[in-house]
Amino acid sequence: MEVRLATLGNPSVHLGDEALPSLPGKPVSFGLLAFLGVEREATRDRLIGTFWPEVPQERARKTLSQALYELRKELGEAWMESSGNVVRATEALRVDLEEFVALAEEGRHAEGLDLYDGHFLDGAPLAQTHAFEEWVDLQRARVARRFRASVDGFIGACRGRGELEEALRAAWKWVSLDPLDDGGQHALIQLLAETGSRTEALAQFERYEAILKVELGLEPLESTKTLVQGIRSGALEVPSPPPDHYEILAGGLRDSEYVRVGLEADPLLEYLRPIGKGTMAEVFLAREEHLKRLVAVKVLFPDLRGDHVASMRFQREAQSAGRLTHPHVCTVHRVGALPDGTPYFVCPFIKGTTLGQHLKAEGRLEASEVRRVVREISSALAAAHRLGIIHRDVRPDNILREDETGIHYLCDFGLAGVLESGERPGIRLTRTGEILGDPAYIGPEQMRGSPLTDRTDVYSLGVLAHELLTGHCPPVADDVSGGRAGDVLPPDLRPLEEYLGETDSDLLDLIRRCLAAEPTHRPTAADTSRKCEEHALAPPPEPPPVRGPARNF
């Protein structure tokens, strides 16, 4: 007798026409049935490793035999067969997930979407083992990608036949199952407008905008914003393209659909959207289902893949950040490559903005906030310097500020160098005399092309603190000393003195020392961090005594 297993949406098991309502509530039995239904066959060793990894081998084999016996007793003998160490599911066991995938591959999208009532095993109690949960997440990501492609294809087919109401129903289903999907929201807003519900389309955009802000701290894609502008102005005539086929990113029109497909070749990643670009790479948001977390994926610009030095610097960035384990460093989880060899690495997704964006949007920071930035980033630099790594690109755009906590993270080690005292000098990526980094933030020794030390990062940190306090980098002092030609003049700190006045002489002195022209006159990053920490722990000064009015006796 046929056994039908529903895993997409509300889980259920049918034996012929009879529902077996108790089986989906048994995590191990139902999980074992789903695993065999999808995989079609597995060795007993694999089943034991998936469902009973902590149980001694002999006992686990007996437990597996007992579980299979109970399933055969409840479902009959026809759905499975066993041969030696291998257990196989027969054609009598039908699983909706595999039927959906087959329909999607054949282009029978309408039938496939009728089957897809929810994500794989959503709502079903799972066997509490890491191996099984990881397997479920991989299957969930695989079928979710199929669903996305299928519903996109169905909407396109409906549009071609002029059946916009059918397309609209599919878009509503898409968004209800994944409200953070940019493509689904774009399609829904567009179809609402095309079917005459302009007000509802604009309301949906506002809901989408709000959930993106709350959940991810992001804004809708530019293509969706352009679509909404057209709806508001009444100029919506030609359907706009899906948002993740072509996005304007670094240097022009970039086929981001290729990156999406390439990233999703990694079975642990589910691509979501592009979120920005750095000096050498594009950054994409993705989801690691097996760890239940959002991540940022940094992919080297395709036109730099053939550039040996750029590729090596990208690899060094991953290596440098990967070696650092520090609460204020945006570390690297792992590395990978697209099918064409373009490298990428995976790092945490931090919901927030860079200090550069903060300065543009909200202006300069209070002295107490600047102290916190200097304390946190100097501690991160000190950890890097202990490993022989100099960052060489400390500036506001390379420091992330997390929205919820206000914590700052040092990012973008793309120009990182290795100190002579470092553990692994590696390949030299900077030619003699070559100047790297933003000229506004680099120290005098960098301008001269001299060998760099850890104090080079400290100078950049001083420039950063000055800019955060005043809104601009320190200007160069006038040459009134009669110095030799070619000397690099020290910065003019008079604007900073005027801003701080007598309110925080300690901070002013620390920044002045960080900006010393001679590297040996600057404090180390560790000293800078310690100085800020001591100030944070010091008790507040006692208020002056309150004097009462004079009294005559």
Side-chain angles (χ1 to χ4, degrees):
M1 188 178 294
E2 183 178 81
V3 177
R4 287 180 289 114
L5 179 61
T7 63
L8 303 175
N10 188 32
S12 65
V13 181
H14 281 76
L15 179 60
D17 295 328
E18 180 188 359
L20 303 176
S22 64
L23 192 50
K26 301 175 181 177
V28 174
S29 296
F30 185 73
L32 189 58
L33 186 62
F35 189 89
L36 288 170
V38 173
E39 296 292 331
R40 304 315 295 179
E41 74 172 40
T43 64
R44 289 177 182 267
D45 292 333
R46 186 183 178 196
L47 292 173
I48 288 169
T50 301
F51 291 94
W52 299 279
E54 305 297 329
V55 178
Q57 187 79 359
E58 184 176 346
R59 183 175 149 203
R61 285 188 171 275
K62 290 180 180 179
T63 305
L64 171 61
S65 297
Q66 181 65 28
L68 292 173
Y69 168 77
E70 291 176 359
L71 280 173
R72 284 198 300 267
K73 185 177 178 182
E74 190 161 5
L75 301 175
E77 299 284 343
W79 69 274
M80 67 155 284
E81 57 187 26
S82 178
S83 174
N85 194 40
V86 177
V87 180
R88 296 184 182 86
T90 69
E91 294 300 319
L93 176 59
R94 293 177 51 194
V95 185
D96 58 352
L97 180 146
E98 294 306 312
E99 291 178 33
F100 168 77
V101 171
L103 291 168
E105 289 177 347
E106 294 170 15
R108 295 160 62 185
H109 301 307
E111 297 170 69
L113 295 181
D114 284 341
L115 274 178
Y116 200 98
D117 287 331
H119 301 308
F120 181 63
L121 293 187
D122 245 6
L126 300 180
Q128 299 297 307
T129 71
H130 176 75
F132 181 64
E133 289 178 350
E134 186 175 66
W135 176 83
V136 169
D137 287 333
L138 290 175
Q139 299 306 317
R140 190 172 288 165
R142 175 175 74 100
V143 74
R145 291 195 288 268
R146 290 284 187 178
F147 168 73
R148 190 188 191 288
S150 193
V151 71
D152 199 23
F154 178 74
I155 289 173
C158 288
R159 188 186 296 283
R161 297 192 298 265
E163 299 173 354
L164 295 185
E165 291 294 340
E166 285 294 314
L168 181 59
R169 278 191 285 273
W172 274 118
K173 183 173 185 176
W174 187 353
V175 168
S176 69
L177 290 173
D178 193 350
L180 293 176
D181 191 295
D182 295 300
Q185 291 281 5
H186 185 100
L188 176 58
I189 293 165
Q190 182 175 307
L191 284 163
L192 284 168
E194 289 183 84
T195 53
S197 301
R198 177 175 170 273
T199 302
E200 178 60 21
L202 296 176
Q204 181 61 29
F205 174 74
E206 291 177 1
R207 290 191 288 268
Y208 165 49
E209 190 175 35
I211 195 172
L212 270 182
K213 185 69 175 174
V214 170
E215 295 291 331
L216 303 178
L218 299 174
E219 294 186 358
L221 295 176
E222 287 301 320
S223 51
T224 305
K225 290 182 181 179
T226 301
L227 168 66
V228 170
Q229 288 172 2
I231 295 171
R232 285 185 175 134
S233 66
L236 180 66
E237 296 177 0
V238 180
S240 57
D244 64 351
H245 282 292
Y246 294 98
E247 287 295 330
I248 300 296
L249 290 174
L253 200 62
R254 165 75 171 140
D255 188 354
S256 131
E257 180 72 4
Y258 173 76
V259 174
R260 180 182 72 80
V261 173
L263 290 179
E264 290 191 345
D266 183 331
L268 301 179
L269 289 178
E270 179 190 354
Y271 169 97
L272 295 178
R273 66 183 299 183
I275 54 175
K277 59 181 182 291
T279 54
M280 296 189 298
E282 299 168 59
V283 185
F284 299 87
L285 180 65
R287 182 185 290 120
E288 282 189 332
E289 281 288 348
H290 67 299
L291 293 175
K292 309 296 184 191
R293 67 185 178 191
L294 293 170
V295 293
V297 185
K298 202 166 187 178
V299 184
L300 184 71
F301 288 140
D303 55 339
L304 292 180
R305 188 166 63 89
D307 185 323
H308 176 69
V309 172
S311 295
M312 289 296 293
R313 282 187 177 138
F314 188 79
Q315 291 175 30
R316 174 166 290 177
E317 176 175 5
Q319 292 166 357
S320 298
R323 290 172 61 199
L324 281 165
T325 302
H326 190 274
H328 299 293
V329 171
C330 189
T331 189
V332 169
H333 295 322
R334 58 192 179 86
V335 298
L338 299 181
D340 67 353
T342 302
Y344 67 81
F345 60 79
V346 181
C347 51
F349 169 68
I350 297 171
K351 180 184 170 185
T353 57
T354 68
L355 285 182
Q357 293 168 327
H358 181 87
L359 279 172
K360 290 177 183 176
E362 301 184 34
R364 62 194 188 189
L365 278 61
E366 295 294 330
S368 59
E369 294 180 89
V370 175
R371 272 192 178 278
R372 179 176 181 177
V373 173
V374 173
R375 183 176 76 249
E376 294 177 352
I377 299 307
S378 61
S379 69
L381 289 171
H385 296 163
R386 282 194 292 271
L387 293 177
I389 300 168
I390 45 177
H391 189 281
R392 295 201 298 185
D393 202 16
V394 178
R395 53 192 173 94
D397 287 340
N398 288 337
I399 297 173
L400 274 171
R401 183 180 195 167
E402 191 170 33
D403 286 344
E404 293 183 4
T405 64
I407 292 173
H408 301 89
Y409 297 88
L410 182 62
C411 306
D412 204 340
F413 283 75
L415 300 184
V418 178
L419 294 166
E420 290 182 5
S421 59
E423 298 171 5
R424 299 177 61 187
I427 299 173
R428 185 176 178 83
L429 301 178
T430 308
R431 295 183 293 273
T432 302
E434 183 180 14
I435 299 174
L436 297 175
D438 189 318
Y441 300 91
I442 63 179
E445 64 274 23
Q446 279 179 284
M447 293 295 293
R448 292 191 296 264
S450 302
L452 306 185
T453 69
D454 59 312
R455 312 299 170 91
T456 301
D457 284 340
V458 174
Y459 187 94
S460 301
L461 184 63
V463 177
L464 169 74
H466 186 290
E467 183 178 9
L468 295 178
L469 282 164
T470 66
H472 56 79
C473 295
V476 175
D478 296 328
D479 186 8
V480 295
S481 62
R484 294 172 300 177
D487 282 351
V488 178
L489 298 175
D492 181 1
L493 295 184
R494 284 176 297 178
L496 184 61
E497 293 169 356
E498 293 172 4
Y499 177 72
L500 283 179
E502 298 180 359
T503 60
D504 199 334
S505 58
D506 286 347
L507 180 58
L508 176 62
D509 180 64
L510 181 62
I511 294 173
R512 182 184 287 113
R513 291 173 59 213
C514 289
L515 293 174
E518 178 59 46
T520 57
H521 294 167
R522 301 171 202 154
T524 65
D527 288 339
T528 304
S529 175
R530 188 160 44 249
K531 185 73 173 175
C532 292
E533 193 69 37
E534 289 171 358
H535 184 276
L537 295 175
E542 293 186 10
V546 178
R547 298 182 182 276
R551 298 179 62 184
N552 294 320
F553 293 94

